Amino acid sequence: MDTVHIAPAEHDALLASYREALAHTNALTDRISTDQFSAHYPERPDWAIGPFVRDDALTFRPEGQWDDPTGVGWTSDSVFNPTVIERGDELHLFYRASPRKESTASRIGHAVRRDGVWHDSPANPIVYPTLANETLGVEDPKVYALDTGYVLFYNAIWRRDDGSVAVDIMSAVSDDLEHWTKRGLVVPYEVSEYWAKGAVIPRDEHGRAVRIGGEYLMFLSEGCGGRPTVGHSADGLEWRFEVQPYLDLSPLSGSLFEVACAVVDGDRLVLDFFYADADGDFAAAQALYRPDDPFTQLELNRGGSLAWGGLQKLDGRWSFAQGWDAPPGVRELYFYKEVDA
C-alpha cells in the first residue's frame, strides 16, 4: 500500500463540524430499531444466524463526558454501531459516540467488562480526528484479532474541495486492545473514488479474522464507484483490491446499502447485510456461501443482525451490541443474543 500523506486536522474545521452535528436530525435514521431487523425472521433455515432477543444483563452505559482532545468542547448524546471482542476473561467494546444519533463529528470509545462490570476507558476517545480527512468524524469501528495483534478499521469522513462528502477506510493497530496507533488510509483513492465503506472481514465465533484460501478477505459494499470490490491480504494490514461480484439480491428484489459483517462457522460463511427491499424500506438479510468458495452465493434469507462490528458467541450464543433503541439523548448500548432454536 502506497503511503498517502494527509495533513493535520484544523481546529476551526473541527469546531464547525461539531456545531453542524449538534443540529443534526434525520427522520429515517431516528426511527431505526434493532428489532425491526433482527427480532423475527419470516423463515429460519438451519444456516441462518438469528433471530435475536435483548440480553439486558450486558447493557452498557458510559458515565460522564470525555475530555475533548481537539479543544472544541465536543460531547456526545448517543452511542451505537459498536464492535465486541474477547481477550481472556475480558469483553472489550468499541463504539461510536456522536453529538446526535447518526450525526457526523463522531469519536470512537472503548470499554472493558471485567467481573461482570463495565469500565469505560480513561483514555477515551481512543480514536478521534487528528487528520484532515477525519474532520467530519471517525465512525463505526470494526476490530479483528490477527496473528500479530489487533487491527481496528474505521470510517473517516471529510469534505472535499468541491464541497462533496468523502468517506475513507482507515486503520489502527494494537497489541493489547488498550493502546492504538493509527496506520492511515486502507483503500487507495483510485479504488474508492473517495467513498468506501465496509472493511468486513470474515470472523470466527471469538472475533478472530479467518483466512480463506490462505489469505484474509475484505468485502467492500458501498462506494468504489458502484463496483463490488474485495480486498486481499496476507497479514490483515496491507491490502490489494479487485472488482469481484459476490452478492445477488435479485431474489429479494432489493438493492444493497452495505454488508454489515461476515461469519465463518464450520462449513458455512454467512454475510449479514443492509438493503432496500422492493418497497424501498430498510431491511436486513443474510447470504450463505462455503468458505472454500466465498463468492458463489448459495442461498438468501430475509432477516439479519446488522451487527456492524461483527457477530460472535457469548455464553455459546451468537451475539452483538447496538444502541439504536436507546431513548433520545440516552447513551446506552444493548446486547442481543440468538434465540434458542
Side-chain angles (χ1 to χ4, degrees), residues 11-295:
H11 177 274
D12 288 351
L14 293 173
L15 179 59
S17 170
Y18 175 53
R19 288 175 174 170
E20 180 181 347
L22 289 175
H24 173 83
T25 185
N26 185 307
L28 287 176
T29 57
D30 284 350
R31 65 173 173 82
I32 287 178
S33 168
T34 301
D35 283 346
Q36 77 185 77
F37 305 111
S38 67
H40 173 73
Y41 291 10
E43 298 180 4
R44 191 182 182 186
D46 290 342
W47 61 267
I49 301 174
F52 297 84
V53 63
R54 189 187 297 184
D55 178 3
D56 289 329
L58 289 175
T59 298
F60 167 70
R61 302 175 180 89
E63 296 181 358
Q65 293 287 346
W66 306 330
D67 292 336
D68 173 26
T70 69
V72 300
W74 183 92
T75 58
S76 68
D77 81 348
S78 183
V79 293
F80 56 101
N81 289 5
T83 187
V84 178
I85 193 167
E86 294 177 296
R87 182 171 183 255
D89 295 331
E90 300 174 339
L91 189 61
H92 289 255
L93 174 72
F94 298 84
Y95 58 92
R96 174 178 171 183
S98 292
R100 297 291 183 266
K101 182 181 176 182
E102 292 284 351
S103 75
T104 54
S106 297
R107 314 291 191 250
I108 294 173
H110 173 223
V112 184
R113 188 175 178 85
R114 301 185 181 98
D115 300 321
V117 178
W118 284 110
H119 304 273
D120 212 25
S121 172
N124 282 334
I126 61 157
V127 181
Y128 60 92
T130 58
L131 300 170
N133 73 328
E134 299 171 340
T135 300
L136 296 184
V138 293
E139 304 178 350
D140 301 351
K142 300 178 188 294
V143 174
Y144 304 92
L146 303 173
D147 294 338
T148 56
Y150 302 92
V151 60
L152 183 156
F153 297 96
Y154 62 95
N155 297 334
I157 317 300
W158 57 291
R159 187 168 281 110
R160 300 176 65 190
D161 291 342
D162 64 4
S164 63
V165 173
V167 181
D168 294 338
I169 294 176
M170 307 283 280
S171 70
V173 292
S174 174
D175 294 328
D176 59 6
L177 292 173
E178 303 276 357
H179 306 89
W180 293 89
T181 301
K182 290 182 178 180
R183 283 179 49 86
L185 188 68
V186 175
V187 184
Y189 292 127
E190 60 265 27
V191 174
S192 73
E193 297 189 14
Y194 295 93
W195 191 287
K197 285 188 177 181
V200 171
I201 300 172
R203 301 203 314 175
D204 67 12
E205 64 183 68
H206 303 291
R208 295 184 296 241
V210 176
R211 283 191 173 88
I212 293 177
E215 62 182 1
Y216 297 115
L217 300 179
M218 178 188 292
F219 293 89
L220 302 181
S221 50
E222 184 177 329
C224 299
R227 300 178 298 273
T229 301
V230 173
H232 302 259
S233 176
D235 61 3
L237 302 177
E238 301 290 340
W239 294 86
R240 59 180 176 84
F241 297 90
E242 62 183 19
V243 175
Q244 173 63 65
Y246 60 84
L247 190 58
D248 176 15
L249 268 62
S250 58
L252 297 175
S253 300
S255 58
L256 181 66
F257 287 131
E258 188 175 351
V259 173
C261 61
V263 168
V264 173
D265 183 28
D267 62 356
R268 64 175 172 170
L269 166 62
V270 177
L271 295 189
D272 187 295
F273 60 90
F274 182 38
Y275 75 105
D277 66 14
D279 297 321
D281 292 331
F282 290 163
Q286 295 176 350
L288 174 67
Y289 308 77
R290 294 198 315 268
D292 61 357
D293 192 5
F295 309 130

Side-chain angles (χ1 to χ4, degrees), residues 272-335:
D272 187 295
F273 60 90
F274 182 38
Y275 75 105
D277 66 14
D279 297 321
D281 292 331
F282 290 163
Q286 295 176 350
L288 174 67
Y289 308 77
R290 294 198 315 268
D292 61 357
D293 192 5
F295 309 130
T296 301
Q297 180 179 306
L298 301 176
E299 294 185 49
L300 287 176
N301 191 61
R302 175 87 182 239
S305 68
L306 298 190
W308 301 114
L311 288 158
Q312 70 181 86
K313 286 188 176 179
L314 300 176
D315 299 326
R317 293 160 65 183
W318 289 104
S319 304
F320 68 99
Q322 184 55 272
W324 285 340
D325 292 318
V330 175
R331 296 182 303 161
E332 292 182 337
L333 281 171
Y334 305 118
F335 278 73

